[in-house]
Amino acid sequence: MDKGTVIRTIVLAIALVNQFLVGFGLYEIPGTEEEQTAVISSTFTFVTATIAWFKNNYVTAKGKKQKEVLKKEGLTKSK
């Protein structure tokens, strides 16, 4: 996997763990009320999930083959 995929996956995992903790009342952002914490957490999770979903991550076998073809044809950034 490329660096961007790993970073997006890690950030998404953090967002999901955070959402789980807030959902069960185990975590609260300091200086905020419970409702504000839930809104902030939900927004963070939604944004990170959307970014991870829309990016071309190339994690399947088919995706990896597509990436190889794109690199071979010079249609992607070199990494």
Side-chain angles (χ1 to χ4, degrees):
M1 280 190 246
D2 65 354
K3 187 177 179 180
T5 301
V6 172
I7 291 170
R8 286 188 298 273
T9 303
I10 291 170
V11 171
L12 181 58
I14 291 169
L16 292 172
V17 168
N18 180 59
Q19 187 69 34
F20 173 81
L21 293 174
V22 169
F24 285 97
L26 300 173
Y27 173 74
E28 188 172 316
I29 298 171
T32 63
E33 295 180 19
E34 191 173 325
E35 296 82 22
Q36 289 175 326
T37 299
V39 169
I40 292 168
S41 177
S42 296
T43 303
F44 177 62
T45 302
F46 176 78
V47 169
T48 56
T50 302
I51 290 170
W53 185 45
F54 277 109
K55 288 292 183 174
N56 221 354
N57 289 324
Y58 304 110
V59 292
T60 64
K62 182 179 178 181
K64 289 176 185 178
K65 287 179 185 177
Q66 289 172 339
K67 187 174 182 178
E68 288 175 21
V69 170
L70 289 172
K71 277 187 176 182
K72 189 186 302 182
E73 298 296 323
L75 299 172
T76 186
K77 293 187 255 181
S78 298
K79 293 184 181 181

